[in-house]
């Protein structure tokens, strides 16, 4: 980078400032430009990064740091994005239809939701906005509940505190899929200057909570409700709705982690507000032990993901997403009244759900990663999950992952087992004994330069390993359908892909070992192979 500011870059910053309708963003970018023109260390690089956008609109919508400039989440970016969405909806024959808008409690969420609502109102849509920061599943529910042509949730889910995002649902109630994302991206590029985009207040405020809670409260099939639950919302928006949903379902002995129950956009007690991250659930597990809970529940900040914690022989621990997925999948297959049920998971999740489905005479599907594909897995879907703690136990009224409903279903299963003198870990042991030990793990490489991911994927394509964990493996390339590589052999499978929502390259590991003698021996053998595979994959991703 030059030690002086390029005149073309400077001029593009001036043009952005002139067109930005938000005084705070204009002031922020003006100050950043002044630092760059004053040659403060790192200031030119900062300006270049801010102007390196625009943020790309993909099937996950937008996600990025809250900051001024095209490569950030701000009112100007949201305004032009929504103008593009409005044009796309009109082109799809949905002009004048209902659009529902929700938000979480992150930095900027209220302003972004207001901008989106006003742009759509001015464009002639019947806009309904949720009354306060609420979980993403309530927005997904609202699309179907209000017969909307689209839904927008302002959220960055479990991303770091500096980020925010814009998630779009179509008229099916699910997240958009190709080619919609490309069509919307082109419509955004064709949108007029931000200050020329009309904005009109007056959206209708609606509250779907009662209808949603009534639906979720009807999910449990067991008769017993004797269960003590410890729970955390990780500083997000889920605590109130979670407690209300559990209560509606009959689970009233609920203890919340007080330090994490109120929304706080800075997430002060966790490094990353994601239940999967080390340390994120420490306060939850301490509370579970303190109150002698039967089940621990952790939601991510927008409450679409759910992690369950259990007490084992060595104390409390969180279940992996694959463990929770197979437990709830088996439970729902045992209780559904659908005569021809379908369960689904993704190509990076454990294959164990397929074995359980086969045992119960149910249909099973694997899709590409993301709930946008899972909810489109086929007719008769009763359950879907992905290993990253995404669980859908209620596809009939929320066509997306729903951490609130998953927590209710988890409590239903745990209470049923408690009445029988059994635990979730007992069920996992039973399933492993019948279908083999399925151990899964993940190796993630966080990058600052996204091009690193492409270079590593190219290297794996050109020179894949011949063995993993001592097992011969073959390479399957899922291009052009997806940028995914799958290495598989006898009892070993590794799937490698760039993350769609985070600056990471991810490898998903699975080892399967039949139980021919004792379960402990099979687990020990599987662990040894998994450790070897993890070590080899970690070396490959350096």
């Amino acid at each position: 980078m030059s030690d002086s500011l390029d005149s073309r870059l400077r001029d593009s910053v001036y043009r952005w400032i002139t067109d930005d309708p938000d005084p705070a963003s204009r002031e922020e970018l003006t100050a950043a430009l002044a630092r760059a023109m004053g040659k403060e260390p790192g200031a030119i690089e900062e300006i270049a990064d801010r102007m390196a956008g625009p943020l790309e609109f993909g099937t996950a919508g937008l996600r990025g740091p809250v900051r001024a400039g095209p490569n950030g989440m701000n009112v100007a970016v949201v305004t032009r994005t929504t103008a593009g969405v409005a044009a796309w909806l009109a082109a799809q024959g949905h002009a004048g239809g209902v659009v529902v808008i929700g938000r979480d409690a992150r930095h900027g969420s209220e302003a972004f939701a207001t901008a989106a609502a006003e742009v759509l109102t001015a464009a002639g849509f019947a806009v309904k906005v949720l009354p306060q920061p609420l979980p993403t599943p309530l927005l997904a529910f609202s699309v179907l509940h209000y017969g909307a042509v689209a839904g927008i949730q302002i959220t960055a889910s479990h991303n770091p505190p500096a980020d925010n995002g814009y998630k779009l649902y179509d008229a099916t109630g699910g997240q958009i899929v190709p080619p919609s994302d490309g069509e919307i991206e082109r419509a955004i590029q064709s949108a007029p200057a931000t200050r020329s985009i009309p904005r009109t207040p007056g959206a209708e405020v609606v509250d779907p909570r009662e209808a949603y809670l009534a639906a979720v409260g009807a999910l449990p099939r067991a008769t017993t409700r004797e269960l003590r639950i410890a729970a955390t919302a990780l500083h997000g928006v889920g605590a109130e709705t979670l407690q209300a949903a559990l209560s509606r379902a009959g689970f009233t002995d609920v203890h919340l982690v007080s330090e994490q129950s109120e929304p706080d956009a800075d997430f002060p007690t966790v490094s990353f507000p994601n239940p999967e991250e080390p340390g994120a659930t420490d306060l939850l597990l301490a509370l579970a032990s303190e109150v002698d809970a039967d089940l621990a529940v952790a939601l991510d900040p927008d409450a679409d993901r759910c992690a369950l914690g259990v007490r084992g022989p060595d104390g409390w621990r969180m279940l992996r997403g694959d463990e929770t997925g197979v437990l709830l999948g088996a439970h729902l297959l045992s209780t559904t009244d659908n005569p021809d049920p379908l369960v689904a998971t993704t190509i990076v999740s454990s294959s164990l759900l397929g074995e359980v489905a086969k045992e119960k005479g149910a249909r099973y599907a694997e899709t590409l990663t993301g709930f946008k594909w899972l909810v489109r897995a086929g007719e008769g879907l009763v359950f879907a999950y992905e290993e990253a703690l995404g669980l859908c136990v209620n596809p009939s009224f929320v066509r997306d992952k729903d951490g609130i409903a998953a927590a209710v279903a988890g409590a239903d299963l745990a209470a049923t087992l408690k009445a029988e003198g059994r635990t979730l870990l007992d069920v996992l042991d039973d399933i492993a004994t019948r279908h083999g030990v399925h151990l899964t793990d993940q190796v993630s490489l966080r990058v600052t330069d996204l091009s690193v991911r492409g270079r590593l994927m190219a290297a794996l394509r050109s020179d894949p390993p011949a063995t993993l964990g001592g097992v011969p493996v073959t390479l399957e390339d899922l291009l052009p359908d997806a940028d995914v590589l799958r290495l598989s052999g006898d009892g070993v499978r590794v799937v490698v892909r760039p993350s769609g929502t985070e600056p990471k390259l991810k490898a998903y590991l699975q080892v399967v070992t039949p139980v021919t003698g004792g379960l402990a021996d099979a687990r020990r053998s599987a662990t040894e192979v998994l450790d070897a595979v993890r070590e080899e994959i970690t070396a490959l991703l350096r």
Side-chain angles (χ1 to χ4, degrees):
M1 176 70 67
S2 168
D3 60 359
S4 62
L5 187 65
D6 181 270
S7 60
R8 288 169 298 183
L9 178 57
R10 181 197 61 207
D11 291 346
S12 67
V13 175
Y14 280 134
R15 285 194 297 273
W16 184 271
I17 292 171
T18 300
D19 191 44
D20 194 328
D22 180 22
S25 289
R26 291 199 303 270
E27 182 178 335
E28 177 190 328
L29 194 55
T30 299
L33 179 61
R35 291 194 298 273
M37 294 176 71
K39 300 183 179 180
E40 290 188 19
I44 294 176
E45 289 83 358
E46 179 193 344
I47 279 289
D49 189 44
R50 284 173 179 264
M51 302 305 294
L55 288 179
E56 181 180 349
F57 195 95
T59 54
L62 299 175
R63 203 170 286 189
V66 177
R67 61 180 182 179
N71 195 24
M73 282 293 297
N74 52 68
V75 169
V77 165
V78 168
T79 298
R80 292 194 81 244
T81 296
T82 307
V85 169
W88 175 75
L89 286 171
Q92 300 296 310
H94 294 312
V98 172
V99 179
V100 190
I101 298 176
R103 60 185 170 96
D104 66 11
R106 283 177 175 265
H107 294 298
S109 286
E110 185 172 6
F112 301 159
T114 297
E118 291 181 354
V119 169
L120 286 161
T121 299
F125 290 87
V127 181
K128 300 179 185 292
V129 296
L130 304 193
Q132 65 187 62
L134 287 171
T136 294
L138 269 85
L139 186 280
F141 170 82
S142 295
V143 176
L144 297 178
H145 182 66
Y146 295 111
V149 299
I152 296 167
Q153 177 78 352
I154 304 297
T155 180
S157 189
H158 57 280
N159 271 40
D163 290 358
N164 212 328
Y166 183 111
K167 183 181 288 189
L168 180 65
Y169 296 81
D170 63 20
T172 69
Q175 297 176 52
I176 60 166
V177 294
S180 297
D181 55 334
E183 294 166 353
I184 294 167
E185 179 72 21
R186 290 188 288 276
I188 295 168
Q189 292 168 357
S190 301
T194 308
R195 285 180 175 268
S196 301
I197 297 170
R199 288 177 54 172
T200 303
E204 178 189 2
V205 178
V206 295
D207 194 339
R209 281 177 289 184
E210 179 56 37
Y212 172 82
L213 290 171
V216 172
L219 287 175
R221 297 303 181 92
T223 55
T224 178
R225 296 291 185 272
E226 186 184 336
L227 195 75
R228 179 168 297 165
I229 301 169
T232 181
L234 287 185
H235 301 293
V237 296
E240 182 180 339
T241 306
L242 173 64
Q243 198 157 25
L246 288 168
S247 178
R248 187 68 63 94
F251 300 103
T252 56
D253 191 358
V254 179
H255 302 256
L256 294 174
V257 176
S258 58
E259 302 97 318
Q260 299 174 333
S261 293
E262 294 298 320
D264 188 329
D266 294 320
F267 305 101
T269 68
V270 291
S271 300
F272 286 95
N274 179 352
E276 289 183 295
E277 294 286 344
T281 57
D282 286 356
L283 289 176
L284 170 66
L285 297 182
L287 176 65
S289 178
E290 178 186 335
V291 302
D292 194 26
D294 301 301
L295 182 70
V297 174
L299 303 178
D300 74 339
D302 69 331
D304 64 349
R305 286 174 168 83
C306 174
L308 299 182
V310 296
R311 181 169 39 206
D314 300 319
W316 281 87
R317 73 170 179 92
M318 302 305 295
L319 295 176
R320 299 187 65 85
D322 283 318
E323 292 176 311
T324 301
V326 74
L327 283 168
L328 293 187
H331 179 55
L332 289 167
L333 284 175
S334 297
T335 56
T336 183
D337 53 12
N338 187 313
D340 186 25
L342 169 69
V343 293
T345 189
T346 71
I347 58 172
V348 304
S349 302
S350 170
S351 59
L352 182 54
L353 181 62
E355 299 302 317
V356 171
K358 189 188 306 179
E359 178 186 45
K360 294 183 179 295
R363 291 177 294 128
Y364 169 75
E366 287 184 5
T367 73
L368 295 175
T369 54
F371 259 85
K372 58 184 176 285
W373 301 116
L374 281 171
V375 297
R376 293 172 169 88
E379 293 297 318
L381 185 68
V382 298
F383 174 72
Y385 94 93
E386 57 185 359
E387 52 74 43
L389 306 179
L391 300 148
C392 179
V393 301
N394 51 333
S396 63
F397 61 91
V398 173
R399 288 177 56 78
D400 197 10
K401 51 190 175 292
D402 184 346
I404 305 287
V408 170
D412 185 47
L413 173 57
T416 302
L417 294 171
K418 182 182 179 181
E420 299 170 357
R422 305 177 73 230
T423 69
L424 298 178
L425 295 178
D426 291 332
V427 177
L428 286 174
D429 285 349
D430 291 347
I431 292 173
T433 299
R434 293 198 305 274
H435 303 295
V437 172
H438 288 61
L439 293 187
T440 58
D441 201 359
Q442 185 182 128
V443 175
S444 291
L445 174 69
R446 184 178 289 272
V447 300
T448 52
D449 179 0
L450 292 182
S451 67
V452 171
R453 303 191 305 184
R455 289 198 296 273
L456 286 170
M457 291 293 286
L460 276 174
R461 284 188 167 96
S462 63
D463 187 21
T467 63
L468 286 172
V471 177
V473 294
T474 55
L475 176 70
E476 181 184 4
D477 192 341
L478 273 59
L479 282 177
D481 294 332
D483 187 10
V484 175
L485 296 173
R486 182 159 48 195
L487 295 154
S488 53
D490 185 16
V492 172
R493 189 200 69 194
V494 174
V495 181
V496 185
R497 60 179 280 270
S499 171
T501 57
E502 298 176 281
K504 291 180 177 180
L505 185 64
K506 293 186 173 183
Y508 304 84
L509 322 180
Q510 176 178 267
V511 169
V512 181
T513 300
V515 179
T516 54
L519 180 57
D521 290 339
R523 282 210 169 107
R524 191 158 40 247
S525 175
T527 300
E528 289 172 0
V529 178
L530 184 65
D531 289 344
V533 172
R534 185 192 306 109
E535 185 175 336
E536 293 171 30
I537 290 297
T538 300
L540 283 171
L541 297 188
R542 282 178 182 157

